[in-house]
Amino acid sequence: MVVDIRGLVDAKQGTVDPRIYHDEEIYQQELKNVFARCWLFLAHDSQIPNPGDYVTTYMGEDPVLVVRKRDGSVGVFMNQCRHRGMRLCRADAGSAKSFSCSYHGWTYDLSGNLVGVPSEDDAYRNEINKAEWGAVKVPQVDNYRGFIFGTWDPSAPPLLDYIGDFRFYFDAFADRTEAGTELIGGAHRWVFPANWKFAAEQFCSDMYHAPISHASAVLALTPDDQDVDEEVFPMDGTKGRQFSSELGHGTGFFVESGDVLANIVGQKPADWFQGGNPEAIGRLGDARAERMRGAHATLFPNFSFLPGINTLRIWHPKGPNEMEVWAWTLVDKNAPADVREAQRIGTGRTFSVAGLFEQDDGENWSEIQRVLRGHIARRSSFNVQMGLGHEWDDDPDFPGKVNRVYCEMAARGFYKRWADMASGMSWDELMASVRKAVEVSG
Ligand code: FES
Ligand SMILES: [Fe+2]
């Protein structure tokens, strides 16, 4: 049965039907129409610097191998043997000359081509056409400033068009220096009993929860001899901005506040991120290099990051009621050693499997999911109306569709894009609707 998904999200009225968070049929449509069609973040260049280096990851629930090939380009193919479907590579990461299946030994090269079949002459009588039985390859792979993305959909627009007007905000995180960025310290990974959209939407759009959900974390991080700084998360929403892209991406941040970054992740990373890196100011300008504070961001659908705090993560879907979070620490390559170490410790303490803020967030998402086990709980829609009708507060420093920081404009954008994609709207239609919306606003 195909569910009419468009009827479940009303971005104009600001309502969402909770079926989108728990329904198995909707989840299957989501895997097919969202995760098998969107550009998804796969890996960072710094994870696979040399030929033969690889990581294994997921696109939706499909396991893939991301491999640095001998010519320096990146190949991405299904982590699935074509003989009987065994997972080809069972390591998280490593370096290899080829990949041999542990079931019957079929062997694939760094591009996923089948190059070896045990007993090819005897058992197969030299009748197998190896060229036909390579691993299934991801047709579009691209790299934006060291971030490697792929999409299963040959008709998906180029990656740059997909990122679109979110680029300005992504660059505040990804383009601070000529040398670029790198991941340090490995990944934190954990399985979590909630639908992935709660997390992706929150990182896209929700500063509103921060002063409430994270009040105790802010208190815990304030030294005993100091008063809690009320301006860490100021309640006045005009002190920050939210940006929503018609493509479903979103971000929010303060432009006037107490030193939210110093409070959360420590003074050293805060100083470095907010003006301590002269190169970043030159590249990004004052607004992005110094004024953006405590930012949250999601690149649709499931890639999120917190500029300054510098965690980045993928919310891997694992069924409608579960996700697996993979979280890393990102640093500027040219950051001094003490800043890097402070950043690594800071993300671990705040946004990681044991992080104070992570636990606050996770508690909300898992409780919502538990409540949604109830029959009556699933009947009434959720309210996504904050700031509805006030979408066009332009700010010369921050281009695109912006609003006050406490707003659900970006959540409406996220769910609208999700509903359009999940219901099977073609890329041509989608990009035309994005262009039209931008024209109307411009
Ligand atoms: S399943 Fe891989 S060789 Fe048989
Ligand atoms: Fe949070």
Side-chain angles (χ1 to χ4, degrees):
M1 191 183 98
V2 176
V3 180
D4 174 16
I5 287 178
R6 254 178 264 191
L8 302 178
V9 170
D10 187 339
K12 284 208 171 74
Q13 299 297 322
T15 59
V16 168
D17 188 306
R19 281 176 71 187
I20 71 168
Y21 303 114
H22 65 77
D23 186 284
E24 180 62 38
E25 279 157 13
I26 292 173
Y27 179 70
Q28 292 304 326
Q29 275 174 249
E30 183 173 86
L31 287 183
K32 174 173 162 230
N33 291 330
V34 178
F35 287 99
R37 295 202 300 150
C38 284
W39 282 97
L40 304 173
F41 173 68
L42 300 172
H44 189 274
D45 263 342
S46 58
Q47 291 176 281
I48 47 170
N50 301 311
D53 290 351
Y54 68 86
V55 296
T56 54
T57 183
Y58 289 87
M59 297 174 73
E61 294 228 41
D62 287 307
V64 292
L65 265 156
V66 183
V67 188
R68 181 74 63 187
K69 296 198 276 191
R70 293 197 202 292
D71 65 0
S73 67
V74 174
V76 187
F77 50 89
M78 276 295 286
N79 188 7
Q80 178 191 38
C81 178
R82 292 292 304 283
H83 177 224
R84 208 63 99 250
M86 175 61 179
R87 190 185 301 267
L88 190 50
C89 174
R90 297 166 77 183
D92 294 335
S95 195
K97 291 196 171 67
S98 59
F99 298 96
S100 268
C101 180
S102 59
Y103 199 171
H104 312 92
W106 282 25
T107 297
Y108 300 79
D109 69 12
L110 296 180
S111 300
N113 302 310
L114 181 63
V115 292
V117 173
S119 303
E120 189 176 348
D121 50 352
D122 176 47
Y124 284 95
R125 294 164 176 82
N126 287 320
E127 287 168 1
I128 183 164
N129 180 359
K130 294 204 290 296
E132 271 179 28
W133 293 100
V136 177
K137 290 172 188 155
V138 173
Q140 291 205 69
V141 176
D142 205 350
N143 185 319
Y144 182 71
R145 304 203 188 288
F147 294 78
I148 301 161
F149 292 82
T151 173
W152 287 110
D153 189 347
S155 74
L159 177 61
L160 273 185
D161 294 352
Y162 181 89
I163 298 173
D165 55 356
F166 185 66
R167 231 174 118 180
F168 179 86
Y169 298 94
F170 192 19
D171 283 351
F173 185 57
D175 189 35
R176 291 164 47 80
T177 68
E178 181 63 35
T181 55
E182 63 184 319
L183 300 183
I184 54 168
H188 286 234
R189 299 178 175 191
W190 63 100
V191 174
F192 197 79
N195 186 278
W196 68 274
K197 290 190 288 302
F198 288 122
E201 178 236 294
Q202 189 197 280
F203 274 62
C204 179
S205 177
D206 192 336
M207 191 70 90
Y208 185 54
H209 78 287
I212 311 298
S213 286
H214 299 309
S216 59
V218 171
L219 184 65
L221 288 170
T222 304
D224 287 346
D225 59 350
Q226 287 176 23
D227 292 334
V228 172
D229 180 358
E230 300 285 338
E231 288 294 293
V232 167
F233 294 118
M235 288 310 295
D236 177 356
T238 64
K239 292 188 173 178
R241 299 288 178 272
Q242 179 176 99
F243 161 81
S244 171
S245 166
E246 293 297 335
L247 294 146
H249 325 306
T251 182
F253 46 87
F254 293 105
V255 291
E256 294 168 58
S257 71
D259 203 345
V260 52
L261 261 189
N263 188 288
I264 293 176
V265 82
Q267 196 65 51
K268 274 194 183 128
D271 289 346
W272 174 256
F273 197 80
Q274 291 161 182
N277 182 349
E279 193 187 347
I281 301 173
R283 289 171 83 87
L284 299 170
D286 293 348
R288 282 182 295 171
E290 294 185 278
R291 287 183 67 210
M292 284 176 71
R293 296 179 165 211
H296 57 75
T298 290
L299 179 73
F300 186 87
N302 66 332
F303 175 47
S304 297
F305 47 93
L306 301 176
I309 293 169
N310 278 17
T311 174
L312 82 157
R313 63 259 316 278
I314 309 174
W315 318 103
H316 288 298
K318 299 284 174 192
N321 301 302
E322 198 165 272
M323 67 177 124
E324 188 169 320
V325 190
W326 291 11
W328 294 266
T329 305
L330 184 96
V331 294
D332 291 336
K333 258 191 188 155
N334 67 350
D338 58 343
V339 169
R340 298 160 71 95
E341 181 62 1
Q343 197 97 57
R344 186 186 70 76
I345 291 169
T347 50
R349 196 178 57 213
T350 56
F351 286 92
S352 72
V353 63
L356 283 176
F357 289 74
E358 195 83 51
Q359 293 177 54
D360 297 336
D361 289 332
E363 191 67 10
N364 292 326
W365 305 331
S366 62
E367 278 304 312
I368 301 168
Q369 203 74 40
R370 253 183 236 135
V371 171
L372 283 176
R373 294 169 69 103
H375 177 75
I376 303 295
R378 295 175 172 187
R379 274 197 200 164
S380 44
S381 56
F382 291 168
N383 180 309
V384 195
Q385 297 178 330
M386 199 191 311
L388 195 64
H390 303 275
E391 331 285 73
W392 308 109
D393 297 354
D394 284 323
D395 179 332
D397 276 349
F398 296 105
K401 196 164 131 184
V402 294
N403 211 315
R404 296 177 183 177
V405 71
Y406 297 123
C407 191
E408 287 169 342
M409 175 179 75
R412 289 187 289 278
F414 174 89
Y415 285 121
K416 177 170 190 326
R417 186 54 57 218
W418 175 85
D420 287 346
M421 294 276 335
S423 58
M425 192 189 250
S426 73
W427 274 115
D428 281 350
E429 271 179 282
L430 253 152
M431 295 310 274
S433 82
V434 167
R435 278 192 296 275
K436 199 168 149 210
V438 171
E439 271 166 30
V440 169
S441 72

